């Protein structure tokens, strides 16, 4: 709750949307970072397109102002099929829309067409960041 004023008198605190949640929604139209709370949290769902590739979809919390133009990554990614966790390297952008992001992970030993869940692979510092800055 900080507001900067130009001039000698302070005015009541206001937000553009009237609520803090509305302000967050407006900010997330430009940038969204998905973080994990534990070392094996789920981040998205998808399927193996081949034995060496898994496509994961990440839903955005609000509609972006435009398709994201950059992705930030950090930590370690795993792809879990319910029984086995495959190590996922750095994702590459497969397709972006204003509401859903698709990421492709190169892997070894996936079962084609099997569903996979993107998890943080024993790393509580794992994150994905999407940017649609001006």
């Amino acid at each position: 709750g900080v507001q900067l004023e130009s001039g000698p008198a302070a005015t009541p605190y206001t937000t553009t949307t009237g609520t803090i949640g509305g302000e967050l929604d407006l900010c997330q139209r430009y940038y969204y970072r998905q973080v994990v709370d534990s070392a094996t949290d789920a981040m998205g769902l998808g399927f193996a397109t081949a034995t060496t590739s898994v496509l994961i979809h990440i839903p955005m919390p609000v509609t972006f102002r435009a398709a994201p133009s950059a992705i930030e990554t950090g930590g370690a990614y795993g792809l879990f099929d319910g029984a086995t966790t495959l190590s996922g390297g750095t994702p590459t952008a497969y397709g972006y829309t204003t509401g859903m992001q698709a990421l492709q992970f190169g892997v070894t030993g996936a079962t084609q067409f099997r569903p996979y869940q993107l998890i943080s692979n024993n790393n509580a510092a794992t994150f994905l960041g999407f940017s649609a800055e001006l």
Side-chain angles (χ1 to χ4, degrees):
V2 175
Q3 178 171 298
L4 299 176
E5 299 280 348
S6 65
T11 61
Y13 180 74
T14 59
T15 65
T16 303
T17 62
T19 67
I20 298 298
E23 291 292 312
L24 177 61
D25 287 349
L26 286 176
C27 292
Q28 287 180 335
R29 292 185 67 233
Y30 294 87
Y31 183 81
Y32 172 65
R33 178 177 271 198
Q34 185 176 21
V35 298
V36 296
D37 293 324
S38 72
T40 56
D41 271 359
M43 302 178 78
L45 296 171
F47 64 97
T49 58
T51 60
T52 58
S53 177
V54 176
L55 183 64
I56 297 291
H57 293 92
I58 310 287
M60 297 294 99
V62 299
T63 301
F64 266 41
R65 65 163 204 89
S69 56
I71 180 175
E72 296 176 323
T73 61
Y77 305 101
L79 297 149
F80 182 62
D81 67 0
T84 305
T85 300
L86 304 174
S87 180
T90 302
T92 57
Y94 184 81
Y96 290 138
T97 68
T98 57
M100 177 87 56
Q101 315 318 310
L103 302 175
Q104 188 166 0
F105 289 83
V107 296
T108 301
T111 301
Q112 189 173 16
F113 306 122
R114 180 175 285 177
Y116 282 87
Q117 183 178 44
L118 176 64
I119 63 172
S120 56
N121 197 7
N122 294 317
N123 188 331
T126 301
F127 70 90
L128 290 167
F130 301 94
S131 177
E133 288 292 329
L134 298 174

